[in-house]
Amino acid sequence: MKNSALRGTGTILSAALASLALMLAGCALDSPAPSPPPGSSAAPGSSEPTLSASSTPAAAVHFTAQADIGVRKESRQVLDTIADLRPQFNLALGDFSYRAGIEDRFCDMVKEKLGSDFPYELLTGNHESDRSDGDIAKFVQCLPNRLPGIQGDYGTQWYVDVPQQDPLVRFVMVSPGIDFQNEQHLDFSSGSERWNWTANAIDGARTANIPWTVVGMHAPCLSVGQYDCKVGQDFASMLLAKKVDLVLTGHDHIYQRTHQLGTGPACPALVPDAVVPGCITDPDATMVKGAGTVFTTVGVGGESFYDVNDNDPEAGYFATWSGGNKNPAFGTLDVTVTADKLSARFVPAKDYTFTDAFTIAR
């Protein structure tokens, strides 16, 4: 059993440049929004944000994602890898500085590598949610949201449609299963306000005819690493039942990707610590949209490695994995989405060789 352990001429010129940036990046669909999450406020830094220049075609969304980052040589190597890939934005899925009091140092490292205005979008991990190794509120101040149209509480529970006009993807970022202050968890139990907010955000994407839905959260449910299903079986099963296309996590300092999984007559719910063959809807790397969900953990942003267990009771759900004792590699997931295809690949940082790639097509 495993351990339980995000002014004149000058004013006119600035406005023109901002408008041009928004046109290039794509601008949020005025679809019905779920109610704000409990305790939420206006997202800091969300006023008139723009996306950085990218080589991505206008009809595509290009982003990177990883977690468990740190302030190390390896952390900088991963940031260099992201810079070389030139995504439109990056999803940082929690666990940033691994030390309290150096939030500004972490933010300066990111800005130095990616640019001061690059959309480095945050979702809290356990190390800053409970303020033991940093404070998510301070990270949010020095790395504010830069994606237009964000809804919710940036850093903890938010969603955004990209591009803002005629969106291709809705990103729903939530924080189940991790400790906040005083060892309290946010309530994502079935029927709770946060559960309903998440479900409504996912359903809203379908109602608005947004082709793809990606959910990000720090903790995984399935893993061949150290952790059990911290987000809860019911929550993970809900993501499957709603046919979320891709779920991105960190927390376990490994890379791992499941087969495409889905609920149905042969799989009423996702079962951790065991494998139900009927939950596997597609076992190869070329998948069909709507058949299920792919869970990908990218906890290799630079901090350290955990070992993987080839004999883990959940191993049968996974297509591939990498950890400290097997093909270790720091790096990032690199994802490009068009109206018809989601293409993802793991890109290792300098000096590492492990790779992975998969597609989901309409």
Side-chain angles (χ1 to χ4, degrees), residues 69-72 75-76 79 104-114:
I69 297 155
V71 185
R72 307 168 71 226
S75 314
R76 293 177 174 85
L79 288 170
D104 285 340
R105 179 180 165 191
F106 177 88
C107 295
D108 288 345
M109 175 185 72
V110 171
K111 292 173 183 178
E112 176 188 352
K113 294 293 187 180
L114 301 179

Side-chain angles (χ1 to χ4, degrees), residues 54 70 79 100 111 118 176 197 247 298 305 323 325 328:
S54 169
L79 288 170
K111 292 173 183 178
F118 177 78
W197 185 94
V247 176
V298 198
F305 291 123
N325 59 335

Side-chain angles (χ1 to χ4, degrees), residues 214-237:
V214 174
V215 168
M217 52 193 188
H218 181 65
C221 179
L222 303 173
S223 185
V224 294
Q226 292 192 5
Y227 296 110
D228 61 8
C229 187
K230 296 179 69 65
V231 304
Q233 177 182 351
D234 289 346
F235 192 83
S237 293

Side-chain angles (χ1 to χ4, degrees), residues 250-269:
H251 199 46
D252 252 327
H253 296 195
I254 62 177
Y255 175 85
Q256 57 184 356
R257 172 178 61 85
T258 68
H259 301 297
Q260 193 174 36
L261 308 178
T263 55
C267 178

Side-chain angles (χ1 to χ4, degrees), residues 138-354:
K138 294 180 180 179
F139 288 112
V140 162
Q141 289 176 353
C142 57
L143 288 170
N145 167 60
R146 298 189 182 280
L147 292 178
I150 193 171
Q151 302 288 326
D153 185 9
Y154 175 64
T156 302
Q157 182 175 326
W158 53 274
Y159 81 86
V160 69
D161 299 335
V162 183
Q164 192 173 13
Q165 292 180 349
D166 300 322
L168 292 172
V169 192
R170 175 166 290 186
F171 296 89
V172 181
M173 314 296 283
V174 290
S175 300
I178 61 173
D179 290 334
F180 283 75
Q181 286 186 285
N182 302 317
E183 299 184 351
Q184 296 298 308
H185 285 69
L186 301 184
D187 185 6
F188 281 89
S189 62
S190 180
S192 68
E193 288 183 76
R194 293 182 185 274
W195 169 290
N196 290 335
W197 185 94
T198 306
N200 289 340
I202 295 168
D203 290 342
R206 181 173 292 108
T207 300
N209 294 316
I210 299 172
W212 302 91
T213 304
V214 174
V215 168
M217 52 193 188
H218 181 65
C221 179
L222 303 173
S223 185
V224 294
Q226 292 192 5
Y227 296 110
D228 61 8
C229 187
K230 296 179 69 65
V231 304
Q233 177 182 351
D234 289 346
F235 192 83
S237 293
M238 182 264 285
L239 300 181
L240 285 184
K242 292 187 175 297
K243 298 185 184 296
V244 169
D245 298 296
L246 177 64
V247 176
L248 301 172
T249 65
H251 199 46
D252 252 327
H253 296 195
I254 62 177
Y255 175 85
Q256 57 184 356
R257 172 178 61 85
T258 68
H259 301 297
Q260 193 174 36
L261 308 178
T263 55
C267 178
L270 187 65
V271 179
D273 294 319
V275 171
V276 176
C279 294
I280 301 173
T281 58
D282 196 327
D284 61 34
T286 304
M287 294 163 272
V288 177
K289 177 178 173 56
T293 301
V294 178
F295 293 82
T296 305
T297 298
V298 198
V300 287
E303 173 57 25
S304 61
F305 291 123
Y306 292 169
D307 286 348
V308 291
N309 177 12
D310 292 350
N311 298 314
D312 188 279
E314 296 169 355
Y317 281 135
F318 286 87
T320 189
W321 53 79
S322 161
N325 59 335
K326 184 173 183 178
N327 301 320
F330 292 113
T332 184
L333 194 70
D334 180 42
V335 186
T336 300
V337 183
T338 67
D340 296 320
K341 182 181 287 189
L342 184 154
S343 303
R345 59 182 181 139
F346 178 79
V347 181
K350 182 181 177 182
D351 300 328
Y352 299 96
T353 59
F354 172 82

